[in-house]
Amino acid sequence: MVSHAITRKPCENFARGLTTTVSSEPADYGLMLKQHDAYLEALSAAGLEVIVLDPQPEYPDAHFVEDTAVVTSDVAVITIPGADTRKGEEESIIPFLAEFRKIERIQPPGTVDGGDVLQVGNHFFIGISERTNQEGAGQLGRILQGYGNTWTTVAVGAGLHFKSSVNYVGQNTLLVTSDFTAREQLQGYDQIVLDSAEAYAANTLLVNEHLLIPAGYPVTRKQLETLGLNMIELEVSELRKMDGGLTCMSLRF
Ligand code: GLY
């Protein structure tokens, strides 16, 4: 069970953040705030005390707080985000996490985005991506191992982060896009394989007994209903335009 979430309100210039998504309409700030508010409510409904940090206009992606740290029951490992425009976002998170956890830090030339790190019990999958390099993954893995955890790396081909394609939905089950099903690191788990037209819904977030899912993915919703969890569907149109997902907007611990 987790009890807290750290989040950050998006800044007015959030649409200047990094994105590869081609959209006919630019991302809308008013709508983004509405969707972010609904997300905060969902975290509260899942039983979390939600901490909301101030916007950081100098970092338009800074509301994607998940990339700045990996938080376990023992430690908060502060990352070095892999994108140049995001390096430095991690500094302002440290005092808030230090209230709850011992702090450790990734060192250069290591880079890690928290979006590449998936915890399942005491095992950590660390995606090697354009944002997380081998050096960063190795540093993170060794830190986590020092606290009694295990870890494996997984190559991330398409998609921004590992958690853009694979997430844990409880009951020893992974929600995966079809290109990850055969990965040897993911064997030993049951898998719910996403319909190829609904790959974005891989970014579904399990919080305690609640599953936060993006709205508009009916096939995936049906598949996930079999788990018997409380499902909360959230609009994510503006988030998606910025290559974001539900896991990215909070640190849960
Ligand atoms: N816009 C999210 C990211 O690229 O990091």
Side-chain angles (χ1 to χ4, degrees):
M1 294 284 277
V2 288
S3 56
H4 287 80
I6 293 181
T7 65
R8 186 185 292 286
K9 188 174 169 183
C11 57
E12 256 182 88
N13 58 346
F14 85 104
R16 293 174 64 181
L18 297 168
T19 188
T20 57
T21 303
V22 181
S23 166
S24 48
E25 294 289 326
D28 179 88
Y29 186 52
L31 197 47
M32 179 67 195
L33 286 184
K34 233 171 119 179
Q35 293 177 357
H36 193 257
D37 282 348
Y39 178 74
L40 302 182
E41 274 174 35
L43 293 176
S44 297
L48 303 191
E49 185 177 316
V50 181
I51 298 162
V52 185
L53 308 184
D54 289 336
Q56 258 191 323
E58 66 277 31
Y59 294 110
D61 279 310
H63 51 292
F64 296 126
V65 286
E66 184 182 54
D67 292 320
T68 64
V70 175
V71 188
T72 77
S73 51
D74 300 301
V75 66
V77 185
I78 306 302
T79 68
I80 300 177
D84 285 346
T85 56
R86 301 196 60 188
K87 289 188 199 316
E89 281 180 22
E90 68 280 12
E91 295 299 335
S92 63
I93 292 284
I94 296 172
F96 295 96
L97 285 172
E99 281 186 34
F100 297 94
R101 295 288 189 275
K102 180 179 172 191
I103 299 290
E104 302 233 24
R105 298 193 70 154
I106 299 298
Q107 303 297 332
T111 63
V112 174
D113 271 15
D116 280 318
V117 183
L118 176 65
Q119 179 175 6
V120 182
N122 70 347
H123 186 74
F124 288 79
F125 296 102
I126 308 175
I128 304 295
S129 70
E130 286 185 10
R131 302 290 178 86
T132 299
N133 62 18
Q134 287 283 358
E135 169 63 27
Q139 288 183 29
L140 176 62
R142 288 188 292 276
I143 292 170
L144 295 171
Q145 199 170 333
Y147 291 89
N149 302 290
T150 56
W151 59 288
T152 44
T153 57
V154 190
V156 178
L160 175 56
H161 289 132
F162 181 57
K163 284 190 287 196
S164 309
S165 302
V166 181
N167 281 280
Y168 185 63
V169 290
Q171 302 167 35
N172 200 46
T173 303
L174 296 170
L175 178 64
V176 297
T177 54
S178 56
D179 47 335
F180 276 88
T181 52
R183 298 295 180 92
E184 63 168 304
Q185 299 95 326
L186 306 189
Q187 305 314 306
Y189 297 91
D190 294 332
Q191 294 186 353
I192 295 176
V193 182
L194 287 137
D195 184 280
S196 59
E198 298 199 358
Y200 176 80
N203 199 265
T204 280
L205 174 60
L206 176 69
V207 185
N208 299 330
E209 292 300 304
H210 292 69
L211 210 47
L212 278 54
I213 64 169
Y217 300 92
V219 177
T220 310
R221 188 187 165 111
K222 266 219 144 4
Q223 288 171 304
L224 292 171
E225 274 169 1
T226 59
L227 296 168
L229 297 163
N230 301 308
M231 306 209 10
I232 305 178
E233 223 174 69
L234 292 165
E235 294 295 337
V236 292
S237 60
E238 306 317 285
L239 182 59
R240 187 173 177 178
K241 286 176 190 168
M242 302 311 299
D243 284 354
L246 295 171
T247 64
C248 320
M249 291 198 298
S250 60
L251 284 161
R252 291 105 17 218
F253 52 92

